[in-house]
């Protein structure tokens, strides 16, 4: 069953009218929903825009209870017979600290899922301020995952969820960029679908075909060039990290490079490379994961999926920057060709790595990815890598906040702002290579690939510094590493995390 999500800033222009529209869901913070302005004007404007036979007397009972909306969801019915509109009004908490987003986006997916049945057409209207619309709109997208192999899922009818944003007085929020929200939400759902798909369906070859298909469906696909280095060509070209991780799989590893040049640039335009870890399944290699640790490792390509989603949404939005997506695709599998502990890999950077843990494979593929971006892509100003990299990230910043680090303090502040405005939460990791890299010292190679002294050595930061070590020595631009091991999933499902964060990072680069 397809659930279509359409974002609009016009209530009267709704594509869902009485008869096809089954329900209106109103969501806002208590200070908006319980305001005199909303009860006197906003609710009537909203219902009147969607239900032409709205009766003032029918709404009067609901209006008198709005003051209590913070305590429980309110439910009401307008109209009669077949011309009925069911209304639910729900409050989200306005209690949030400086390490939360501009709105409690974390609460919205579960709330929307609770209030909307599986087969009804619904209009969701947020009563908020303009700065909250992007995060709120993106949160709705997470409530409707697209991947399922349940037989009942395929038999359900197609339905539409329409989302609008209004002020407490009922006026549309004209400053809300609906196209930006639509493109980002679509990309979030794509990212979640890919991340939810098992490796039996989304191995490296199938992933490449998905990428090609998505690029072909862009309004102007000729604006994007695609380069693929695959299989033995990776070994011949010197991608020792990516080849070493994926060479044992039936479907061989690949480096996919997508490049977008906007039709118009300015002196403020930048050249940005996004590098994503795309491990389609991670057994751990010969450092084999446990019975309980291996399930869910289909999600280890979530970083590359978020990079792909943000790239596609940015192209649709025609951002004013040159943009590249460097996707490092591999399956960390096991057979007689598997990289062994003690093997030494020569990375694309030219540096050698003594493997002491084949389950620390993400940094190996990303090391090759950032080396390519800083060496082969001309005049790059920013390199941002994203990965479900370390379990230690959850120890450092928890399950909801990505852990990130940047080589420039100013850019670190920009990422914090983007996390706050986008709803994709993030918190800085320690940046200190002069202390941490000592734990990767090797007697026989330039470095080891995993920390020798366990989790007490800021393992997430150390993994990031390993990646940083493979940037070309002449690269002087911004580098940022974002570890999304925690927020990439919630329970058994992918969240599409990273797309919204990257969108606001990219748009605020000047």
């Amino acid at each position: 069953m397809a659930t279509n999500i359409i974002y609009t800033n016009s209530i009267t222009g709704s594509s869902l009218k009485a008869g096809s529209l089954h329900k209106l869901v109103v969501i806002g913070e208590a200070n908006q929903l319980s305001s005199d302005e909303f009860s006197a004007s906003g609710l009537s404007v909203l219902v009147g825009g969607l239900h032409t036979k709205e009766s003032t007397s029918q709404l009067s009972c609901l209006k008198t209870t709005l003051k209590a909306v913070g305590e429980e969801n309110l439910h009401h019915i307008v109209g009669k017979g077949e011309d009925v509109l069911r209304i639910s009004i729900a409050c989200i908490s306005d209690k949030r600290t400086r390490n939360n987003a501009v709105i409690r986006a974390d609460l919205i997916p579960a709330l929307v899922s609770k209030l909307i049945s599986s087969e009804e057409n619904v209009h969701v209207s947020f009563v908020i301020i303009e700065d909250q619309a992007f995060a709120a709109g993106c949160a709705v997208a997470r409530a409707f995952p697209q991947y399922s192999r349940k037989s009942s899922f395929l038999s359900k009818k197609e339905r539409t969820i329409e989302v609008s944003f209004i002020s407490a007085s009922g006026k549309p929020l004209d400053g809300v960029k609906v196209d930006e929200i639509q493109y980002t939400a679509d990309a979030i759902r794509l990212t979640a679908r890919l991340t939810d798909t098992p490796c039996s369906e989304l191995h490296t070859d199938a992933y490449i075909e998905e990428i090609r298909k998505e690029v072909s469906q862009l309004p102007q696909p000729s604006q994007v060039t695609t380069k693929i280095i695959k299989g033995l060509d990776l070994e011949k070209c010197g991608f020792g990290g990516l080849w070493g991780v994926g060479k044992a799989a039936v479907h061989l590893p690949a480096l996919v490079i997508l490049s977008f040049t906007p039709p118009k640039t300015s002196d403020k335009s930048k050249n940005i490379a996004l590098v994503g870890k795309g491990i389609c399944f991670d057994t751990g290699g010969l450092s084999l994961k446990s019975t309980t640790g291996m399930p869910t490792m289909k999600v280890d390509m979530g970083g590359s999926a978020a990079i792909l989603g943000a790239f596609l949404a940015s192209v649709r939005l025609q951002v004013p920057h040159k943009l590249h997506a460097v996707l490092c695709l591999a399956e960390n599998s096991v057979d007689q060709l598997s990289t062994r502990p003690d093997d030494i890999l020569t990375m694309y950077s030219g540096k050698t790595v003594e493997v002491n843990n084949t389950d620390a494979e993400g940094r190996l593929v990303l090391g090759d990815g950032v080396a390519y971006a800083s060496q082969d892509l001309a005049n790059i100003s920013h390199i941002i890598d994203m990965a479900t990299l370390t379990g230690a990230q959850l120890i450092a910043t928890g399950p909801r906040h990505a852990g990130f680090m940047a080589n420039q303090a100013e850019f670190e502040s920009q990422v914090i702002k983007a996390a706050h405005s986008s709803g994709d939460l993030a918190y800085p990791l320690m940046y200190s290579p002069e202390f941490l890299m000592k734990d990767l010292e090797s007697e026989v190679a330039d470095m080891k690939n995993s920390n020798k002294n366990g989790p007490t050595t800021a393992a997430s930061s150390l993994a990031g510094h390993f990646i940083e070590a493979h940037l070309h020595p002449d690269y002087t631009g911004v580098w940022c590493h974002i570890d999304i091991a925690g927020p990439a999933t919630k329970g058994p499902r992918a969240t599409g995390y990273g797309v919204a964060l990257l969108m606001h990072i990219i748009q605020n680069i000047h």
Side-chain angles (χ1 to χ4, degrees), residues 255-496:
L255 188 74
V256 179
I257 305 100
L258 306 175
S259 297
F260 163 70
T261 300
K264 294 182 180 180
T265 58
S266 69
D267 294 339
K268 294 182 179 180
S269 297
K270 302 296 183 182
N271 199 349
I272 304 165
L274 308 175
V275 184
K277 172 188 171 184
I279 302 298
C280 296
F281 192 80
D282 182 17
T283 66
L286 291 179
S287 304
L288 197 66
K289 292 182 182 292
S290 67
T291 303
T292 56
M294 200 181 298
T296 73
M297 282 299 102
K298 64 180 181 180
V299 307
D300 218 15
M301 42 66 69
S304 66
I307 294 291
L308 174 63
F311 177 86
L312 295 169
S314 295
V315 173
R316 291 181 183 277
L317 201 59
Q318 295 286 285
V319 296
H321 306 298
K322 290 185 178 180
L323 195 62
H324 311 269
V326 180
L327 308 176
C328 309
L329 311 185
E331 180 185 347
N332 190 16
S333 193
V334 177
D335 81 350
Q336 66 269 27
L337 296 178
S338 296
T339 293
R340 297 167 289 267
D342 293 340
D343 283 356
I344 295 176
L345 306 177
T346 301
M347 304 285 285
Y348 192 69
S349 65
K351 294 182 178 179
T352 55
V353 175
E354 179 188 2
V355 176
N356 61 338
N357 181 2
T358 64
D359 196 21
E361 84 297 329
R363 64 199 70 181
L364 293 172
V365 305
L366 286 175
D368 275 355
V370 301
Y372 179 87
S374 59
Q375 179 176 318
D376 288 46
L377 299 177
N379 303 315
I380 293 295
S381 60
H382 295 71
I383 295 175
I384 304 169
D385 72 74
M386 180 171 282
T388 52
L389 199 66
T390 66
Q393 176 268 303
L394 285 89
I395 298 171
T397 62
R400 296 188 184 276
H401 294 69
F404 76 93
M405 57 198 302
N407 64 346
Q408 296 181 17
E410 181 181 354
F411 194 76
E412 181 180 287
S413 298
Q414 290 179 27
V415 176
I416 293 173
K417 290 178 182 177
H420 182 70
S421 62
S422 70
D424 276 354
L425 304 177
Y427 193 82
L429 298 168
M430 180 174 66
Y431 182 89
S432 187
E434 66 273 27
F435 290 121
L436 299 180
M437 284 297 288
K438 293 177 182 179
D439 204 47
L440 295 181
E441 289 178 351
S442 167
E443 295 296 323
V444 292
D446 293 325
M447 66 191 78
K448 293 179 183 287
N449 77 314
S450 185
N451 44 311
K452 297 180 291 184
N453 295 316
T456 59
T457 51
S460 290
S461 292
L462 182 59
H465 286 311
F466 176 94
I467 297 164
E468 182 187 25
H470 296 280
L471 292 167
H472 192 276
D474 293 337
Y475 178 72
T476 58
V478 171
W479 167 77
C480 179
H481 163 66
I482 307 175
D483 191 338
I484 65 171
T489 57
K490 185 175 182 181
R493 298 305 296 252
T495 61

Side-chain angles (χ1 to χ4, degrees), residues 45-162:
V45 170
L46 182 57
V47 175
L50 296 170
H51 192 273
T52 55
K53 296 182 180 180
E54 176 263 327
S55 167
T56 304
S57 61
Q58 286 182 304
L59 282 181
S60 60
C61 178
L62 180 58
K63 289 180 178 180
T64 60
T65 59
L66 281 174
K67 297 296 182 183
V69 71
E71 300 172 15
E72 58 181 294
N73 301 331
L74 304 179
H75 306 283
H76 200 67
I77 293 177
V78 222
K80 56 185 177 180
E82 294 183 356
D83 193 28
V84 165
L85 177 64
R86 291 179 293 119
I87 304 172
S88 291
I89 300 180
C91 177
I92 50 175
S93 174
D94 56 2
K95 295 179 181 178
R96 53 185 187 272
T97 66
R98 66 182 184 278
N99 293 321
N100 210 319
V102 68
I103 192 171
R104 289 295 302 273
D106 57 300
L107 302 176
I108 292 173
L111 182 60
V112 169
S113 297
K114 178 182 177 181
L115 295 174
I116 298 176
S117 71
S118 60
E119 296 186 11
E120 58 185 1
N121 294 326
V122 179
H123 187 103
V124 178
S125 192
F126 284 95
V127 183
I128 52 178
I129 59 175
E130 286 184 0
D131 290 347
Q132 297 174 320
F134 181 84
C138 290
V140 173
R142 297 187 174 96
F144 303 100
Q146 293 178 302
Y147 181 84
S148 177
R149 289 295 176 261
K150 290 186 177 183
S151 56
S152 59
F153 183 83
L154 298 176
S155 64
K156 292 179 179 178
K157 297 179 180 179
E158 184 172 304
R159 52 88 173 266
T160 298
I161 307 296
E162 198 173 61

Side-chain angles (χ1 to χ4, degrees), residues 208-275:
I208 290 170
E209 291 308 308
E210 281 275 0
I211 293 166
R212 285 181 169 140
K213 182 188 75 173
E214 292 298 330
V215 171
S216 72
Q217 292 175 352
L218 289 168
Q220 296 176 278
S222 62
Q223 290 182 329
V224 175
T225 61
T226 303
K227 179 179 181 179
I228 300 173
I229 307 171
K230 182 181 175 185
L232 288 170
D233 287 341
L234 288 169
E235 184 181 28
K236 293 175 184 177
C237 293
F239 291 93
L242 184 53
W243 174 248
V245 170
K247 64 182 180 179
V250 172
H251 300 278
L252 294 176
L255 188 74
V256 179
I257 305 100
L258 306 175
S259 297
F260 163 70
T261 300
K264 294 182 180 180
T265 58
S266 69
D267 294 339
K268 294 182 179 180
S269 297
K270 302 296 183 182
N271 199 349
I272 304 165
L274 308 175
V275 184

Side-chain angles (χ1 to χ4, degrees), residues 151-188:
S151 56
S152 59
F153 183 83
L154 298 176
S155 64
K156 292 179 179 178
K157 297 179 180 179
E158 184 172 304
R159 52 88 173 266
T160 298
I161 307 296
E162 198 173 61
V163 184
S164 66
F165 311 93
I166 64 168
S167 66
S169 65
K171 295 179 180 178
L173 299 176
D174 295 331
V176 172
K177 300 175 182 177
V178 174
D179 285 349
E180 177 193 359
I181 298 174
Q182 184 74 63
Y183 299 148
T184 305
D186 290 345
I188 287 170

